Amino acid sequence: MDAPSHIMNTMFVEVDRVTKTYPGQEGEPLTALQEVSLEIPRGKFVSVVGPSGCGKSTLLMLLAGLYTPGSGEIRLDGASVDRPCTNIGIVFQSPVLLDWRTVLDNVMIQIEVRGLDKKTYRPRALELLSAVGLRGFENAYPHQLSAGMRQRVSICRALIHDPPLLLMDEPFGALDALTREQLMIDLQRMWAETRKTIFFVTHSIREAVFQSDQVILMSPRPGRIERIWEIDLPRPRRLKMAATSEFGRYMEEITDVLMRDGVIREEPE
């Protein structure tokens, strides 16, 4: 008897020599990604860093099935991605909440769209909101929330249907520094409890190192995989860990590669 596919295939995300090209100005093609190959084990937290325009968000949209590669193949749990995926969660930089719906109703919209039983999922929605510190705000409206609180709602909305893969495209990028710190802790805790596979796009090296099992560095356009770091830091991670020499070593190595590539430049003395 064959083993179930979820046992046979421990690599949940597989990107096989993917290239993506867009039409550029005056008809010139613009290659966003070139020959990108990547494997992500099931249940891992993986962050992608790199300069603006290197194809980080393009890769995320390809994983979601919202873009189609020009060449190569993407597989999720062994199945080829050739159309928009419905069993994943996506969080963007903007929370995109509906102003006329309450916090709870914004989370539950996923359930309504999918035609699932609202009574079954309402307790889960309340549990998720409590987990991110929004207990008591279920009946509030988006305009009554801070930016960080609105982003917490969007994370709950992405998780309500219990997706195996969570795609996050700079979800903390528009937030203040203190809110980002708290959301990093909240997200790490939720990941530890669920062990979902998370693909996290960010410009912050510190954010990537703090949260991840792996940090993927992409080259300037056309985007390629420059290097992958296995982050061997103990969990659960505390903010004070950022002051340790081990944490600093990862930060320095990633920064050195970005400086070598000319992405980060120091002023001449």
Side-chain angles (χ1 to χ4, degrees):
M1 179 180 296
D2 292 337
S5 61
H6 71 278
I7 296 176
M8 294 175 63
N9 184 28
T10 58
M11 289 299 172
F12 188 71
V13 177
E14 298 171 281
V15 180
D16 186 10
R17 296 171 293 178
V18 164
T19 295
K20 177 64 176 176
T21 300
Y22 299 103
Q25 294 181 353
E26 300 179 359
E28 293 292 329
L30 178 66
T31 302
L33 297 172
Q34 188 168 53
E35 290 286 318
V36 171
S37 293
L38 175 66
E39 292 183 332
I40 300 176
R42 186 184 305 276
K44 294 297 183 180
F45 196 126
V46 175
S47 289
V48 182
V49 296
S52 295
C54 72
K56 302 184 298 296
S57 294
T58 293
L59 181 54
L60 180 143
M61 298 295 274
L62 287 164
L63 292 177
L66 298 174
Y67 291 173
T68 303
S71 62
E73 184 183 20
I74 293 176
R75 295 180 293 275
L76 295 183
D77 203 16
S80 181
V81 177
D82 56 7
R83 67 195 67 185
C85 298
T86 60
N87 65 334
I88 63 172
I90 306 180
V91 180
F92 296 105
Q93 185 170 343
S94 173
V96 196
L97 303 181
L98 299 180
D99 294 337
W100 60 91
R101 295 179 69 114
T102 66
V103 164
L104 180 58
D105 287 342
N106 265 287
V107 174
M108 291 294 290
I109 195 170
Q110 279 264 32
I111 303 307
E112 296 173 24
V113 169
R114 294 169 185 273
L116 301 174
D117 182 50
K118 290 193 289 185
K119 289 183 179 180
T120 300
Y121 282 88
R122 190 176 187 276
R124 174 169 171 77
L126 294 172
E127 180 182 340
L128 286 169
L129 289 169
S130 178
V132 297
L134 289 179
R135 176 179 292 177
F137 289 89
E138 298 88 352
N139 296 318
Y141 288 88
H143 74 273
Q144 298 173 308
L145 307 179
S146 68
M149 293 166 78
R150 290 194 293 271
Q151 193 62 296
R152 288 184 174 99
V153 176
S154 73
I155 293 172
C156 294
R157 182 181 58 195
L159 291 171
I160 182 64
H161 59 298
D162 198 24
L165 174 64
L166 183 61
L167 305 176
M168 309 187 79
D169 193 2
E170 297 195 61
F172 309 153
L175 304 177
D176 65 85
L178 292 178
T179 302
R180 290 176 73 144
E181 300 277 73
Q182 184 60 58
L183 281 178
M184 282 199 302
I185 296 170
D186 292 343
L187 180 60
Q188 180 190 207
R189 182 179 62 251
M190 294 176 76
W191 173 82
E193 291 171 354
T194 62
R195 292 292 174 172
K196 296 186 181 300
T197 307
I198 296 182
F199 184 86
F200 190 95
V201 171
T202 180
H203 277 104
S204 170
I205 302 171
R206 181 179 180 275
E207 201 171 81
V209 172
F210 180 80
Q211 297 188 119
S212 306
D213 298 307
Q214 291 181 340
V215 174
I216 299 167
L217 177 62
M218 294 188 67
S219 69
R221 192 174 60 238
R224 303 180 180 88
I225 303 299
E226 182 94 10
R227 184 172 169 185
I228 299 176
W229 281 264
E230 300 289 337
I231 306 300
D232 186 19
L233 295 172
R235 293 187 184 274
R237 295 178 184 166
R238 310 298 185 193
L239 291 177
K240 63 183 180 181
M241 183 180 291
T244 64
S245 59
E246 293 87 352
F247 193 98
R249 177 174 60 83
Y250 291 118
M251 292 277 293
E252 183 178 1
E253 288 182 5
I254 296 170
T255 301
D256 284 347
V257 176
L258 289 168
M259 292 182 68
R260 185 196 68 198
D261 289 346
V263 177
I264 298 176
R265 295 181 295 276
E266 292 183 319
E267 294 293 331
E269 297 182 356

